[in-house]
Amino acid sequence: MKDHLALCFLHFANSVSLKNNNSRVSYERDTKIINAASFTIEREDHTIGNIVRMQLHRDGNVLFAGYKLPHPLQYKIIVRVHTTSQSSPMQAYNQAINDLDKELDHLKAAFEAEVARVSGEY
Amino acid sequence: MEGAASYQRFPKVKIRELKDDYAKFELRETDASVANALRRVMIAEVPTIAIDLVEIEVNSSVLNDEFIAHRLGLIPLTSERAMSMRFSRDCDACDGDGQCEFCSVEFHLRAKCINDQTLDVTSKDLYSSDHTVVPVDFSDSGSGFENNEDQRGITIVKLRKGQELRLRAIARKGIGKDHAKWSPAATVTFMYEPEIHINEEMMETLSLEEKTSVVDSSPTKVFGINPHTQQVG
């Protein structure tokens, strides 16, 4: 009698693996307003949503930028962008992402240099 | 597409304090959204290793199997290897059942109380298959923890005479978003720091008594008074 054998699964894999779904960002143009679009980003939340929104606000051609988490159980965000006719939502979005990417690369390098400096002092 | 003005920023970092388990730094020339993203990532998205799967062979302790499995999960493990490890759900070498070296670390625990004294089963009784992934030893970090001789490891369960615990545990890589046991941080906070400018011209017009009352108006003694020049700074 295998009386004391128990398997305990602590981890419930509720994070459904979307491994085969290759694209994480989808783009949908607004049908009524020109230069307006929504980007749906899968498997992201406020962490990314808020920095993308704030970066879009820095762009003078962006008339509106906002994000929402449609439902707390749905692991995705929707970023909505309106721009002037000088730009386009896709251009503004790409620029925001590129600038953030470079900013964070810089931040990483700056932090590592600072850690090296501080730990060298001791 | 490019050619438009760049809105990139170059944040400045200055570390004020750096210890083994504590860091405090200034972040300039960016905004709160970046600081908050950094905070959220540190809490919930930095991968660590924690016990995730427990197979209990013998458990005659007073705690039930699930309770012990949960306690094992909460034991902090050294996670330098986490970045080079695979998530078991992305592992091709196994079916994600935690049997391969790329996505899992195996632990064994065997303990039996044979005398009248209560036996404390602690994190020191866990034997790891990988010497780089072991329960975190707090005894040499020095800060906060009482370093008594009897303080050895983290208590998992206490055994009375005749009771026994035998199990196999599998640790996996994970993130704090899945379960807080994978969160590497105790707390992460940020705040704006005020920058105080004293109007020197106006300050000069005040009498010493008035200057003293300005200095005393701060409950945390932010200002001081120079005894020689009688300047507030």
Side-chain angles (χ1 to χ4, degrees):
Chain A
M1 200 172 111
K2 295 188 285 179
D3 53 346
H4 285 112
L5 195 78
L7 255 180
C8 299
F9 289 92
L10 280 174
H11 181 247
F12 297 96
N14 49 5
S15 52
V16 184
S17 183
L18 297 165
K19 218 160 118 184
N20 300 325
N21 193 355
N22 42 24
S23 109
R24 285 183 70 186
V25 185
S26 59
Y27 168 75
E28 196 183 337
R29 263 183 65 189
D30 193 298
T31 49
K32 294 194 178 99
I33 310 163
I34 52 156
N35 284 323
S38 301
F39 298 86
T40 305
I41 311 172
E42 301 284 343
R43 281 174 290 145
E44 289 300 345
D45 57 12
H46 300 284
T47 308
I48 295 298
N50 196 36
I51 53 170
V52 170
R53 178 183 72 102
M54 293 308 281
Q55 190 67 32
L56 284 164
H57 284 172
R58 290 170 61 78
D59 189 334
N61 287 319
V62 171
L63 300 173
F64 174 86
Y67 82 98
K68 67 176 174 185
L69 196 77
H71 192 278
L73 296 178
Q74 277 180 307
Y75 197 9
K76 69 171 184 186
I77 53 165
I78 296 168
V79 181
R80 190 169 166 81
V81 188
H82 286 210
T83 65
T84 61
S85 52
Q86 270 78 51
S87 185
S88 72
M90 189 59 101
Q91 187 186 331
Y93 179 84
N94 281 330
Q95 169 134 37
I97 295 289
N98 285 332
D99 287 346
L100 272 175
D101 191 29
K102 281 186 262 174
E103 175 173 338
L104 295 174
D105 278 345
H106 173 83
L107 185 61
K108 187 178 181 223
F111 193 83
E112 280 167 355
E114 182 68 5
V115 169
R117 187 186 70 80
V118 171
S119 33
E121 279 178 11
Y122 298 112
Chain B
M1 192 181 79
E2 241 60 41
S6 175
Y7 302 101
Q8 198 201 334
R9 289 170 294 199
F10 296 93
K12 301 253 185 307
V13 182
K14 184 167 181 267
I15 294 175
R16 288 193 176 176
E17 228 178 317
L18 189 63
K19 292 193 213 138
D20 279 352
D21 53 1
Y22 180 83
K24 188 176 190 176
F25 62 94
E26 290 171 14
L27 188 62
R28 291 169 189 272
E29 291 174 43
T30 183
D31 65 21
S33 67
V34 172
N36 192 45
L38 214 53
R39 183 191 67 85
R40 287 178 62 95
V41 166
M42 283 190 257
I43 293 170
E45 291 182 58
V46 174
T48 60
I49 301 166
I51 290 175
D52 196 28
L53 202 60
V54 181
E55 208 169 296
I56 290 172
E57 279 174 53
V58 179
N59 174 20
S60 52
S61 76
V62 291
L63 301 184
N64 59 52
D65 296 357
E66 292 86 339
F67 201 112
I68 290 171
H70 180 240
R71 289 183 68 79
L72 288 167
L74 297 177
I75 294 169
L77 305 175
T78 52
S79 299
E80 279 87 1
R81 233 197 94 193
M83 276 305 188
S84 59
M85 248 169 104
R86 293 181 191 164
F87 283 109
S88 56
R89 60 169 184 274
D90 302 330
C91 188
D92 305 321
C94 63
D95 329 319
D97 51 358
Q99 302 294 327
C100 84
E101 57 185 311
F102 302 110
C103 68
S104 63
V105 179
E106 202 175 294
F107 287 85
H108 284 272
L109 188 148
R110 282 166 180 278
K112 187 172 187 176
C113 184
I114 43 166
N115 49 34
D116 285 328
Q117 216 189 359
T118 314
L119 176 75
D120 289 6
V121 182
T122 71
S123 56
K124 293 265 166 80
D125 296 310
L126 274 171
Y127 288 98
S128 173
S129 63
D130 181 341
H131 66 94
T132 60
V133 181
V134 290
V136 175
D137 189 1
F138 290 105
S139 61
D140 54 17
S141 73
S143 58
F145 288 90
E146 287 297 315
N147 196 7
N148 301 330
E149 283 114 68
D150 56 336
Q151 184 81 39
R152 47 185 292 277
I154 299 160
T155 308
I156 297 162
V157 65
K158 293 187 177 185
L159 299 181
R160 200 169 170 249
K161 189 175 184 181
Q163 293 178 339
E164 189 181 5
L165 181 63
R166 219 160 60 213
L167 59 86
R168 189 173 77 101
I170 289 160
R172 287 171 171 173
K173 176 176 170 174
I175 59 170
K177 213 178 265 180
D178 272 342
H179 192 289
K181 69 184 177 184
W182 278 299
S183 180
T187 43
V188 189
T189 60
F190 72 94
M191 62 179 185
Y192 282 110
E193 193 143 271
E195 210 169 88
I196 304 165
H197 295 283
I198 297 170
N199 187 335
E200 298 291 349
E201 273 175 45
M202 294 271 272
M203 193 57 88
E204 283 310 304
T205 64
L206 300 181
S207 69
L208 181 59
E209 203 175 300
E210 285 168 322
K211 282 180 184 173
T212 317
S213 78
V214 168
V215 170
D216 291 342
S217 70
S218 165
T220 52
K221 289 275 171 286
V222 175
F223 308 112
I225 199 156
N226 189 318
H228 304 294
T229 59
Q230 297 192 348
Q231 275 178 329
V232 175

